[in-house]
Amino acid sequence: MKSSYIYILTNIYRTTFYIGVSANLSKRLEEHYDEVASKFTKKYNIKDLIYFETYTDIYEAIAREKQLKNWHKEWKLKLIKTVIPSLKTLNY
């Protein structure tokens, strides 16, 4: 079964977050880095992968993405810090 991902990107200041879903995370991250994936990420220079989750069902990943997009910023930070307390960029 093919994996799907939800991911959170941020800028160097860790002030703005972007949440997305993809079946090919490395390709999608490359698109963000090349500034062709999203006008929002390009505008706010959001390129750093800070969090991701893996799913076997794309519909579960989409549901989780929608859930996270409705969260307050503080909730997102708390979730990220459970995995990466330093808020260091992940290498994927």
Side-chain angles (χ1 to χ4, degrees):
M1 194 161 236
K2 190 171 182 178
S3 294
S4 299
Y5 307 88
I6 63 97
Y7 61 94
I8 302 177
L9 301 178
T10 189
N11 57 12
I12 61 170
Y13 306 108
R14 307 301 191 247
T15 56
T16 306
F17 297 105
Y18 175 86
I19 300 171
V21 65
S22 179
N24 187 336
L25 185 56
S26 58
K27 180 182 177 194
R28 189 65 174 152
L29 293 174
E30 187 176 311
E31 292 170 348
H32 282 293
Y33 189 78
D34 292 341
E35 298 183 341
V36 296
S38 161
K39 289 180 184 179
F40 181 84
T41 57
K42 182 178 179 178
K43 179 179 179 180
Y44 294 100
N45 199 29
I46 297 173
K47 297 181 182 181
D48 296 340
L49 177 65
I50 198 159
Y51 182 84
F52 72 94
E53 296 175 1
T54 307
Y55 293 86
T56 55
D57 182 351
I58 187 67
Y59 298 108
E60 287 181 21
I62 292 168
R64 178 66 165 160
E65 176 199 28
K66 289 179 181 181
Q67 178 189 42
L68 291 176
K69 284 185 173 185
N70 286 317
W71 281 19
H72 297 283
K73 187 176 185 177
E74 297 80 27
W75 300 353
K76 294 172 194 172
L77 275 169
K78 187 176 179 180
L79 172 68
I80 295 164
K81 286 182 177 183
T82 62
V83 178
I84 307 159
S86 66
L87 297 180
K88 219 172 131 179
T89 301
L90 298 172
N91 294 323
Y92 186 82

